[in-house]
């Protein structure tokens, strides 16, 4: 029964993904001062307009917003990518500042189809007009209130492999799930083929517990 239940969850995760704009990868933690943080947005077509979309960052300690960015006037690049990154990230379209622009968790990155003026710092997390959301941490306790507010069920751990300073969270192609591996800025994600990462357990298509 457990295996059947998992397969149903996996099937839903693979089949339910249909966004045209999504969070593709984030790297919130590096060695020492976090000077190479980034959020990679992706679109289903290259050079796609991001008019009407915003990115909002939420701090899990309060479940309130601490920054927001208007994507209007921007487009993704020729490969369908758009980067919000630290000043050290080459070619980032929007700057997160020199360092520590992203909280390390438990926190969230959210894409809304909304007006950035509706999200001044200190705005409560909400699922209204939500397009995509990623609740993440670095081996932090699960923030159930933040997950609930954003209509999410999984808090992804950038420290899943014990390498939070050198790895990033990357969306598994065509799914609503993420893996943890070496960063792939402006390139195809490098998730193992046919693998799901749910909570702190890694599942493969032919095994319930391929690793932890």
């Amino acid at each position: 029964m457990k295996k059947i239940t998992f397969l149903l969850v996996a099937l839903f995760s693979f089949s339910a993904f249909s966004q045209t704009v999504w969070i593709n990868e984030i790297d919130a933690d590096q060695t020492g001062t976090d000077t190479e943080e980034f959020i990679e947005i992706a679109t289903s077509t290259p050079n796609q307009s991001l008019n009407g979309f915003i990115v909002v960052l939420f701090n899990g300690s309060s479940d309130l917003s601490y920054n927001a960015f208007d994507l209007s006037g921007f487009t993704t690049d020729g490969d369908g990518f758009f980067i919000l990154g630290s000043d050290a990230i080459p070619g980032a379209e929007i700057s997160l500042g020199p360092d520590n622009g992203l909280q390390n968790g438990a926190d969230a990155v959210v894409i809304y189809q909304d007006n950035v003026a509706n999200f001044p710092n200190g705005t409560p997390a909400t699922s209204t007009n939500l397009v995509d959301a990623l609740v993440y941490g670095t081996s932090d306790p699960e923030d159930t209130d933040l997950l609930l507010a954003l209509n999410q069920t999984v808090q992804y751990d950038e420290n899943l492999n014990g390498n939070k300073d050198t790895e990033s969270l990357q969306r598994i192609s065509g799914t609503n799930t993420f893996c943890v591996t070496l960063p792939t800025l402006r390139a195809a994600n490098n998730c193992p083929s046919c693998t799901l990462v749910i909570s702190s357990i890694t599942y493969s298509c032919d095994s319930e517990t391929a690793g932890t």
Side-chain angles (χ1 to χ4, degrees):
M1 179 61 71
K2 181 179 177 182
K3 191 164 189 177
I4 291 173
T5 301
F6 166 71
L7 290 173
L8 289 173
V9 171
L11 178 62
F12 177 79
S13 296
F14 274 86
S15 63
F17 186 76
S18 60
Q19 290 110 300
T20 59
V21 179
W22 63 87
I23 300 163
N24 198 53
E25 182 177 0
I26 72 161
D27 191 347
D29 202 0
Q30 292 89 48
T31 304
T33 304
D34 296 339
T35 58
E36 296 184 309
E37 301 167 317
F38 68 86
I39 302 166
E40 181 180 80
I41 305 300
T43 56
S44 53
T45 58
N47 305 306
Q48 183 171 318
S49 171
L50 296 174
N51 287 345
F53 295 100
I54 63 174
V55 169
V56 182
L57 309 181
F58 290 97
N59 190 332
S61 65
S62 61
D63 299 339
L64 302 177
S65 66
Y66 66 92
N67 215 339
F69 305 92
D70 190 355
L71 305 189
S72 292
F74 291 100
T75 63
T76 52
D77 65 18
D79 294 312
F81 296 123
F82 180 90
I83 307 299
L84 301 88
S86 301
D87 294 345
I89 297 296
E93 286 85 358
I94 291 180
S95 172
L96 295 174
D99 54 56
N100 296 311
L102 281 177
Q103 300 287 339
N104 290 341
D107 301 298
V109 174
V110 185
I111 301 175
Y112 291 101
Q113 197 160 15
D114 210 320
N115 192 316
V116 74
N118 292 330
F119 288 87
N121 288 353
T123 301
T126 176
S127 60
T128 302
N129 297 326
L130 186 150
V131 175
D132 195 21
L134 173 59
V135 179
Y136 66 93
T138 48
S139 297
D140 301 280
E142 187 173 90
D143 188 337
T144 54
D145 290 337
L146 187 58
L147 288 165
L148 181 63
L150 296 172
N151 197 28
Q152 302 298 300
T153 58
V154 178
Q155 178 175 303
Y156 289 94
D157 185 6
E158 192 175 332
N159 198 40
L160 182 70
N161 302 321
N163 300 318
K164 63 184 179 61
D165 293 340
T166 57
E167 295 186 321
S168 68
L169 286 164
Q170 302 175 30
R171 186 179 294 274
I172 299 172
S173 179
T175 79
N176 287 315
T177 58
F178 286 78
C179 77
V180 186
T181 188
L182 294 175
T184 58
L185 184 67
R186 291 194 194 274
N189 290 345
N190 193 33
C191 295
S193 177
C194 207
T195 300
L196 297 174
V197 179
I198 299 177
S199 188
S200 61
I201 301 173
T202 303
Y203 297 89
S204 72
C205 291
D206 57 0
S207 172
E208 287 187 275
T209 55
T212 57

